[in-house]
């Protein structure tokens, strides 16, 4: 019996280790992502440079709006930034209400009553 118990211990340890890893992963990468929050209620106009890659904040928690600063990761949102490359150098309005239907560009959704009634930092 002692030999069998000794043989089974590594198997039980591996099962516990796997459970510990999966709970750690679930904390950092939740199955259900958090909702985006309203960062601002007006778009930010800026010049994008042709050929440059940008990472637009999807979660709304970045302190460097409209771009990502990694807050989505450290706040365990399960969201990722939208990576895009500017095709030409031009001035654009990037969404900060996070409700646009044309991300990362503003489509005027921030003017809706739903967005205007929402508090900055709250989900829609």
């Amino acid at each position: 019996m002692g030999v069998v118990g000794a043989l089974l211990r590594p198997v039980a340890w591996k099962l516990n280790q796997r459970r510990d890893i999966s709970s750690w992963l679930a904390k950092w990468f939740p199955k259900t992502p958090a909702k985006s929050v309203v960062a601002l209620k007006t778009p930010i106009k800026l010049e994008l440079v042709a050929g440059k890659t940008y990472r637009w904040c999807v979660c709304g928690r970045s302190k460097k709006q409209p771009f990502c600063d990694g807050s989505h990761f450290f706040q365990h949102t399960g969201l990722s930034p939208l990576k895009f490359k500017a095709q030409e150098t031009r001035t654009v309005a990037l969404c900060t209400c996070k409700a646009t239907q044309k991300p990362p560009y503003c489509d005027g959704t921030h003017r809706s009553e739903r967005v205007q009634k929402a508090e900055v930092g709250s989900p829609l």
Side-chain angles (χ1 to χ4, degrees), residues 32-109:
T32 307
K35 290 187 175 186
S36 298
V37 299
V38 176
L40 298 169
K41 294 182 184 182
T42 57
I44 294 179
K45 291 181 182 176
L46 49 93
E47 184 176 76
L48 299 181
V49 178
K52 185 172 178 182
T53 300
Y54 298 90
R55 286 174 178 79
W56 179 71
C57 172
V58 170
C59 72
R61 293 162 176 86
S62 174
K63 301 294 184 219
K64 295 182 179 180
Q65 288 295 328
F67 302 114
C68 178
D69 67 0
S71 294
H72 66 278
F73 182 75
F74 296 106
Q75 294 183 28
H76 314 291
T77 66
L79 300 169
S80 297
L82 174 69
K83 185 177 171 182
F84 71 100
K85 185 181 275 192
Q87 300 302 311
E88 60 185 0
T89 299
R90 65 183 177 127
T91 301
V92 297
L94 295 181
C95 175
T96 59
C97 75
K98 310 305 173 187
T100 182
Q101 296 300 306
K102 298 178 181 181
Y105 306 104
C106 175
D107 66 359
T109 305

